[in-house]
Amino acid sequence: MDLKKLAEVLIPDNDLLPLDEYEKAYPARELEKGAEVTRLAPSPTGFIHLGNLYSALADERIAHTTGGIFYLRIEDTDLKRKVDGAVESVIRSLKYFGLNFDEGAEIDSPLNKYGPYYQRQRASIYRAYVKDLIVRGLAYPCFCTEDELNAVREEQTERKEITGYYGKYAKCRNLSEEEIYANIKAGKPFVIRLKSQGNTENKFTFRDAIKGDITVTENDQDVVILKSDGIPTYHFAHAIDDHFMHTTLVIRGEEWLSSLPIHLELFKVLGFQLPKYGHTCSLMKVDNGVKRKLSKRKDPELSLDYYRSAGYYPKAVVKYLMTILNSNFEEWERKNPQADYRDFKFSIGKMGKSGALFDIDKLNDISKAELANLSAEETYDFLNGWVNEFGSDTDRQHFADKEYIIKILNLICGIGGKKRRKDIVRAEMGVRLMDYFFDDTFKPAYEYRYDKDTVNAVLDGFAAVYDENDDNSAWFAKVKGVAAANGFAAEMSEYKANPESFKGSVADVAEILRIAVAGSPNSPDLCTVMGILGKARTLARLNAGKI
Ligand code: GLU
């Protein structure tokens, strides 16, 4: 058969270059020895998940600790899955978690010399190489219909054989020249398949950068490399792109492990040097005592948007992922509590080989610890970012007064003091803790333990003497004065010695004031709360708190 002629008929494009021109167009990268080139290669589906971030973090750390490149390629060969704005959303999401690409789709960078970074825009490169494989007798057209393929699959399943297009089932592999041209003439749609040279009886050891030595069986499937719309499949595009973009290390989910034999064969027939591969383990969770993969349908926490909208501190999520990515990260952290996680020596060899357990409680603990480490200004920036995107209009109005919020934060978080608050997990919790400092979100529960006359007399009594210029001890002396004037013990020792002679102690008086001013019997230092609220608001609350 005249394969050159066949290739011309199947791929008549006149814009294809001789193959060595493509090689020249994508010269080797000028990087130091040992520098790794990694990439994130998502489909533009708009759904970016924790698994993506997990892989991307490994990619980014490895590239940036070896002086290499981390780039973004968009795998848009399947148009059905394309969602508008998805690429921007990937970039924004990763940026939120502190991960930045050096080059790639929609990245403004002088390094963008290996594009286009959208696969759909690379059709001619793929087609040139498919054409060459046809000429070399390593690829052929297949005219089988969906129905025919389904029937074969059913037959194979019934016979308990491996499903797919291989061996005797690869019907179009042996079509004669006449049959091929007759099909083309009849206008039958076709795909191009690899004419596999492999044999499943051959097994060999392959070194996966994460999983270590694994046994791989040769591929014998005549996989589709070019679909009927002229666009390549993932397999083929992967080989071409990672070759021309000079990826040195492909980190991807372990669901791709079963396709590895196909990729090994493709790199071989294309004459390309193989990159290293690292297959990451799936993220698992324990659900009702059973360990299972995180699922898009069942687990909102799989989506990265969840962490943003739920107000997790992004660095906490990244640090948490670091603990599951590298088993020695936690120990390093303990020894270097103030160090940036980027100073940790990330090692692909320390990545887990099988199912990483996702533990939201641990993430929450890390989040608490991270938030308890922030300055008031940093806390404000973080909360304000969340409020602007996910908070209510009222929250946004409150946060417009930065100075006021910073004062509140200093107090309620104990920033700079001896008792740092360490229980804030997410932004929303922090924001809600401030509600009582604003009249429109102040929801007091006036649940006093004293009768009306006592409560009102205490509130009026304190309102009459309150002076916003008092320091803590002058303020407290006044509370004691109000206590004594209303039948309470001004000193705790007095009260303890003789409890039945008093209505209660100074602490009970402070509680009445606290309920009126802060809305509940629990609040941080009341003198400071009043100071932040200001005199007018404090007096108004003392008055409104009367029953
Ligand atoms: N587009 C593939 C995916 O989203 C990429 C796999 C790879 O990294 O090679 O799963």
Side-chain angles (χ1 to χ4, degrees):
M1 191 177 329
D2 183 346
L3 293 174
K4 216 161 176 246
K5 183 180 139 210
L6 178 62
E8 279 305 328
V9 173
L10 294 172
I11 304 194
D13 317 22
N14 51 22
D15 61 340
L16 307 185
L17 305 175
L19 301 189
D20 57 345
E21 291 295 322
Y22 293 110
E23 290 291 348
K24 276 191 220 143
Y26 298 100
R29 294 171 181 271
E30 285 167 20
L31 295 170
E32 297 282 311
K33 199 164 169 283
E36 301 283 8
V37 179
T38 62
R39 84 297 192 272
L40 185 69
S43 317
T45 58
F47 183 71
I48 168 125
H49 57 79
L50 200 64
N52 296 129
L53 180 62
Y54 176 82
S55 289
L57 184 57
D59 279 320
E60 190 269 350
R61 284 295 75 217
I62 291 168
H64 291 159
T65 50
T66 58
I69 298 284
F70 172 47
Y71 72 89
L72 174 65
R73 180 172 73 229
I74 300 301
E75 308 219 316
D76 57 353
T77 54
D78 187 354
L79 262 193
K80 285 196 292 290
R81 303 176 65 202
K82 188 170 182 296
V83 168
D84 285 343
V87 178
E88 290 71 16
S89 148
V90 168
I91 297 170
R92 195 171 5 96
S93 276
L94 292 201
K95 199 178 174 143
Y96 179 77
F97 291 103
L99 270 62
N100 293 304
F101 294 102
D102 303 304
E103 70 177 55
E106 309 305 326
I107 305 296
D108 183 16
S109 163
L111 296 171
N112 283 353
K113 291 183 184 149
Y114 293 86
Y117 295 94
Y118 285 87
Q119 290 184 325
R120 286 213 152 238
Q121 295 171 17
R122 303 170 62 78
S124 61
I125 314 181
Y126 307 126
R127 292 172 65 78
Y129 276 83
V130 170
K131 195 166 181 178
D132 182 62
L133 289 181
I134 299 170
V135 173
R136 293 199 280 135
L138 292 167
Y140 64 89
C142 166
F143 301 91
C144 288
T145 62
E146 204 55 40
D147 286 348
E148 285 170 311
L149 295 174
N150 285 339
V152 169
R153 196 173 308 118
E154 269 167 34
E155 185 187 331
Q156 291 166 331
T157 312
E158 221 158 83
R159 293 192 185 173
K160 299 200 168 30
E161 288 179 345
I162 292 173
T163 55
Y165 208 81
Y166 63 94
K168 65 174 185 208
Y169 295 110
K171 229 177 75 196
C172 293
R173 187 176 170 124
N174 300 313
L175 292 183
S176 68
E177 196 165 4
E178 292 72 38
E179 286 169 311
I180 292 176
Y181 285 111
N183 281 335
I184 295 172
K185 207 162 165 219
K188 284 198 186 172
F190 61 84
V191 298
I192 305 290
R193 290 185 182 272
L194 169 74
K195 193 178 233 172
S196 172
Q197 308 298 304
N199 181 340
T200 48
E201 292 193 347
N202 298 336
K203 298 194 190 311
F204 55 95
T205 301
F206 180 83
R207 166 141 296 206
D208 185 274
I210 296 172
K211 298 214 178 271
D213 282 348
I214 50 175
T215 302
V216 175
T217 303
E218 260 182 27
N219 170 58
D220 71 342
Q221 298 264 352
D222 285 358
V223 289
V224 175
I225 51 177
L226 206 63
K227 297 184 280 187
S228 55
D229 60 0
I231 296 294
T233 52
Y234 164 75
H235 306 305
F236 197 70
H238 152 53
I240 296 285
D241 293 347
D242 282 314
H243 170 68
F244 285 110
M245 296 179 182
H246 297 277
T247 309
T248 60
L249 172 62
V250 172
I251 297 183
R252 60 183 183 186
E254 66 186 353
E255 66 275 15
W256 291 110
L257 206 48
S258 57
S259 313
L260 182 64
I262 298 170
H263 304 149
L264 299 183
E265 182 170 13
L266 283 174
F267 273 87
K268 191 167 158 199
V269 296
L270 289 166
F272 296 160
Q273 196 193 336
L274 202 63
K276 286 173 281 199
Y277 284 91
H279 290 90
T280 57
C281 50
S282 304
L283 294 174
M284 319 280 281
K285 79 185 261 185
V286 176
D287 185 8
N288 274 330
V290 181
K291 206 167 154 184
R292 64 160 175 81
K293 263 195 201 178
L294 279 179
S295 121
K296 186 172 167 178
R297 204 165 40 83
K298 295 189 208 148
D299 307 310
E301 70 267 32
L302 184 60
S303 158
L304 278 193
D305 283 344
Y306 168 79
Y307 298 92
R308 279 188 35 222
S309 59
Y312 274 98
Y313 188 56
K315 207 187 221 172
V317 177
V318 169
K319 276 198 176 178
Y320 172 61
L321 288 180
M322 288 291 284
T323 66
I324 40 181
L325 274 168
N326 259 200
S327 47
N328 53 334
F329 178 74
E330 264 183 291
E331 195 192 325
W332 174 86
E333 256 247 294
R334 260 194 302 277
K335 288 188 189 144
N336 304 278
Q338 294 309 326
D340 190 304
Y341 78 89
R342 292 180 181 89
D343 296 337
F344 170 72
K345 202 170 168 312
F346 189 92
S347 149
I348 193 165
K350 293 229 158 49
M351 282 176 71
K353 293 186 186 0
S354 59
L357 203 56
F358 179 75
D359 176 355
I360 197 109
D361 294 333
K362 188 153 177 192
L363 168 62
N364 289 345
D365 285 345
I366 295 180
S367 202
K368 284 183 212 166
E370 285 298 310
L371 288 177
N373 241 328
L374 301 185
S375 67
E377 188 85 19
E378 287 166 331
T379 312
Y380 173 83
D381 287 345
F382 167 59
L383 299 181
N384 189 41
W386 181 85
V387 158
N388 275 311
E389 213 172 340
F390 304 102
S392 64
D393 287 344
T394 314
D395 291 335
R396 273 186 284 282
Q397 275 161 23
H398 295 171
F399 269 74
D401 191 349
K402 179 170 174 180
E403 209 184 313
Y404 190 61
I405 297 273
I406 295 248
K407 277 191 212 158
I408 301 171
L409 285 173
N410 275 321
L411 172 69
I412 64 171
C413 298
I415 296 175
K418 275 194 228 94
K419 269 220 207 127
R420 180 73 199 232
R421 184 170 190 139
K422 289 197 175 120
D423 62 345
I424 302 176
V425 181
R426 299 187 281 116
E428 186 167 17
M429 178 177 172
V431 174
R432 294 286 72 85
L433 282 175
M434 292 189 248
D435 278 347
Y436 67 90
F437 284 93
F438 300 89
D439 289 340
D440 50 3
T441 45
F442 177 53
K443 299 266 169 328
Y446 295 128
E447 285 161 9
Y448 302 104
R449 290 187 290 116
Y450 289 90
D451 60 83
K452 182 176 157 113
D453 289 347
T454 307
V455 167
N456 293 352
V458 163
L459 295 178
D460 277 340
F462 188 77
V465 293
Y466 178 63
D467 181 343
E468 73 277 22
N469 298 315
D470 284 343
D471 64 9
N472 227 300
S473 60
W475 177 90
F476 195 46
K478 286 183 176 168
V479 179
K480 285 183 182 174
V482 172
N486 289 285
F488 291 82
E491 302 296 336
M492 280 313 278
S493 52
E494 260 181 283
Y495 178 68
K496 279 196 184 131
N498 223 344
E500 55 294 333
S501 318
F502 301 100
K503 284 187 186 168
S505 75
V506 63
D508 300 308
V509 170
E511 183 183 288
I512 294 172
L513 297 174
R514 187 166 263 128
I515 291 174
V517 173
S520 93
N522 303 306
S523 84
D525 180 62
L526 188 58
C527 172
T528 315
V529 172
M530 289 180 178
I532 293 174
L533 287 170
K535 181 159 188 173
R537 210 181 257 155
T538 299
L539 292 182
R541 288 192 182 184
L542 290 170
N543 191 39
K546 289 194 282 183
I547 43 180

